[in-house]
Amino acid sequence: MSRPLEGKSILITGGSGIGRATAYVCAEQGARLLVADIHLASAEETAAHVQAQGGEAVAMQVDVRDAAQVEAMVAQAVATYGRLDGAFNNAGVLGPVGKHLADNDEDEWHQIIDINLKGVWLCMKMEIRQMLTQGSGSIVNTASVAGLVGTRPTGIYVASKHGVVGLTRSAALQYGGNGIRINAVCPGFVDTPMVENGFGGAPEIQARLATLSVFSRIARPAEIGDSVAWLLSDSASFVTGVPFPVDGGWTAQ
Ligand SMILES: NC(=O)c1ccc[n+]([C@@H]2O[C@H](COP(=O)([O-])OP(=O)(O)OC[C@H]3O[C@@H](n4cnc5c(N)ncnc54)[C@H](O)[C@@H]3O)[C@@H](O)[C@H]2O)c1
């Protein structure tokens, strides 16, 4: 297979689900990885699999809400590989499903906004500082179709992901002149622990989620990973500021 990420140093937050699948795709394409997660075991499992396949990966425990930990994460990637070519800011939470806004409480607001939105901002902040010293870099943030349209069951999550799209667009404008590209990926439903835990694994629920795609199925995590790897690579050299739907046609209607 071609290896468009050969030798590139790439940081990924979120070591399960989409983050794990993206790590595998990036490693197959030659990237050297730092995988970070609040649950160290998830990051370690992903890094161990990459290493077992002959790739390079290190794991780190990081809470993306904590500026000092995020700064240390970027410093660790640079200490390990000498530079930071790419970053996939993907760690996130769904929050309660089916609870409408009038019933949400402030703890739910803070948890979702702090991880999904503040976490992405802190990651970009520290990554961009490093990339400015290099004069190059590519960042992909995980938004969602929930960053493009509203959904009834997850109002605060939708607000957080619209925020990620906004941050992505502004950051792309601010740093394009410095050789840094910044995009977001917007998946529809993907077969990960988040969906199974949030919506339940019952076949009738999975079938209902599948109807949102014109392909009548939810995505495999690697299908998101393939798009992220492309956005991180030099093949996407003229692409920036884009919320990129990987949603099986959900938002085409
Ligand atoms: N699965 C879907 O259908 C779907 C669709 C659109 C967008 N997304 C987004 O994709 C991203 C990845 O989700 P996933 O589906 O792979 O779910 P997942 O639960 O498998 O992965 C999320 C990871 O983020 C980690 N995490 C949570 N809080 C953290 C924190 N404070 N610091 C560091 N790590 C933390 C979790 O431990 C977990 O490993 C999320 O941002 C999610 O909102 C998922």
Side-chain angles (χ1 to χ4, degrees):
M1 86 178 293
S2 71
R3 289 167 63 93
L5 298 177
E6 190 70 59
K8 287 190 185 290
S9 159
I10 292 176
L11 177 167
I12 295 176
T13 69
S16 76
I18 292 169
R20 174 169 294 171
T22 302
Y24 295 169
V25 172
C26 290
E28 281 169 16
Q29 297 188 11
R32 300 175 296 166
L33 303 175
L34 184 148
V35 183
D37 201 294
I38 196 168
H39 297 119
L40 182 59
S42 293
E44 285 181 333
E45 199 179 318
T46 300
H49 179 88
V50 168
Q51 290 161 3
Q53 300 298 309
E56 282 186 70
V58 293
M60 189 170 175
Q61 183 166 31
V62 175
D63 183 341
V64 296
R65 292 169 289 191
D66 184 306
Q69 291 185 38
V70 173
E71 189 170 19
M73 170 181 74
V74 172
Q76 185 62 52
V78 175
T80 308
Y81 300 122
R83 51 186 290 116
L84 183 68
D85 298 301
F88 181 37
N89 301 320
N90 163 76
V93 292
L94 183 59
V97 173
K99 208 168 170 183
H100 287 192
L101 288 168
D103 301 315
N104 282 124
D105 60 42
E106 289 187 52
D107 285 346
E108 290 162 352
W109 172 269
H110 289 305
Q111 198 220 16
I112 297 166
I113 297 296
D114 279 1
I115 296 174
N116 292 5
L117 185 54
K118 180 187 165 194
V120 166
W121 166 61
L122 285 177
C123 288
M124 282 204 291
K125 177 182 168 94
M126 306 306 176
E127 292 154 0
I128 288 168
R129 286 180 175 182
Q130 171 60 29
M131 289 173 176
L132 285 172
T133 70
Q134 305 167 179
S136 66
S138 176
I139 295 173
V140 179
N141 299 318
T142 300
S144 166
V145 293
L148 303 173
V149 298
T151 70
R152 264 186 290 267
T154 56
I156 299 173
Y157 179 81
V158 165
S160 74
K161 294 301 188 178
H162 274 68
V164 170
V165 170
L167 278 181
T168 301
R169 288 183 167 134
S170 288
L173 297 177
Q174 290 171 356
Y175 297 104
N178 302 97
I180 304 170
R181 295 186 300 102
I182 304 170
N183 294 288
V185 69
C186 299
F189 280 111
V190 188
D191 185 11
T192 73
M194 179 179 284
V195 166
E196 183 153 354
N197 296 335
F199 291 86
E204 61 274 18
I205 292 176
Q206 296 291 321
R208 187 140 33 93
L209 301 184
T211 63
L212 291 161
S213 160
V214 296
F215 302 129
S216 303
R217 65 174 176 84
I218 69 173
R220 297 184 299 276
E223 292 179 301
I224 315 305
D226 285 335
S227 295
V228 174
W230 177 74
L231 287 168
L232 288 171
S233 78
D234 296 339
S235 301
S237 55
F238 209 59
V239 181
T240 198
V242 174
F244 188 79
V246 187
D247 64 355
W250 177 343
T251 55
Q253 48 198 311

